[in-house]
Amino acid sequence: MISTNQFKNGTHIDVEGRIFKIVEFQHVKPGKGPAFVRTKLKRTTDGAVIDKTFRAGEKFRPVRTETRRMQFLYGDGADAHFMDSETFEQFTIPEKTLAETLKWVLPSEEVEILYVDNQPADIQVPSAVEMAVTDTEPGLRGDTASGGGDKPATLESGVTVRVPLFVNVGDRVRVDTRSGAYVARA
């Protein structure tokens, strides 16, 4: 059993027969009354995020998780198709549950699939990825008074991020996948 004082971001727990991933949590000790834990949980079946409060010390069934290396083949609008690189077995995961992470993955790229109780549930992407800029406005000298500034740029996966004015079409940029922020030119 896993207790509320053993919570970590990314841990999977079973709450009332449903499997949730802990997105964030906060231990609260009010001046009056018992302590409790305020959490933000993401349901693994459909990706819905809910807020839930538990009593301190409450126990839950831990969920067995493992990661396997797979190849992302393509997304068809409804499902994301993957292939096991060793057995060549193909399977799908609904795109709506992977919407946040799938935008950082290109077709034919190797990814780590998170299995929750032997069922594929999520993609684990690195904290930063490198992608080429496919579309952006040219940055002109003198666009800003202070020398800073940014502009929108579309990356090869189709996601739009804010980049500095000196980035041009064809440049490779490094982007933080957690915040969607530009990190550096690669």
Side-chain angles (χ1 to χ4, degrees):
M1 297 302 274
I2 190 170
S3 173
T4 55
N5 58 2
Q6 297 169 321
F7 278 1
K8 292 185 182 98
N9 289 347
T11 302
H12 289 77
I13 58 172
D14 185 334
V15 179
E16 299 166 0
R18 292 190 175 190
I19 297 173
F20 292 93
K21 176 182 178 182
I22 299 171
V23 177
E24 59 185 59
F25 67 97
Q26 177 184 16
H27 289 279
V28 180
K29 177 72 173 108
K32 194 175 194 179
F36 59 92
V37 179
R38 192 175 291 133
T39 62
K40 192 172 279 189
L41 303 172
K42 182 177 181 181
R43 195 169 29 231
T44 56
T45 54
D46 61 1
V49 177
I50 63 166
D51 294 320
K52 195 142 175 76
T53 303
F54 303 105
R55 292 185 314 274
E58 204 169 330
K59 297 196 181 301
F60 304 93
R61 178 182 79 85
V63 178
R64 194 171 87 77
T65 60
E66 67 174 298
T67 57
R68 298 181 194 164
R69 213 119 173 100
M70 304 283 178
Q71 182 180 14
F72 171 58
L73 298 175
Y74 61 93
D76 62 10
D79 293 321
H81 296 260
F82 297 91
M83 179 180 69
D84 189 327
S85 304
E86 295 172 9
T87 64
F88 302 107
E89 180 183 323
Q90 292 186 18
F91 63 92
T92 62
I93 301 176
E95 272 191 45
K96 65 179 182 174
T97 63
L98 305 175
E100 271 308 300
T101 52
L102 203 56
K103 65 184 180 185
W104 304 112
V105 181
L106 297 172
S108 301
E109 205 172 277
E110 289 276 320
V111 294
E112 289 196 350
I113 302 287
L114 177 71
Y115 277 75
V116 177
D117 280 343
N118 288 327
Q119 293 296 319
D122 202 1
I123 304 175
Q124 294 189 319
V125 293
S127 59
V129 294
E130 274 184 29
M131 289 194 181
V133 176
T134 58
D135 183 42
T136 188
E137 296 291 319
L140 301 174
R141 187 179 195 103
D143 270 355
T144 63
S146 63
D150 60 3
K151 60 184 179 180
T154 305
L155 303 180
E156 57 189 316
S157 67
V159 68
T160 302
V161 296
R162 305 289 299 177
V163 298
L165 294 173
F166 58 79
V167 174
N168 297 313
V169 173
D171 288 353
R172 293 192 64 80
V173 294
R174 192 165 183 77
V175 180
D176 186 328
T177 57
R178 297 164 298 205
S179 64
Y182 167 87
V183 176
R185 197 162 37 172

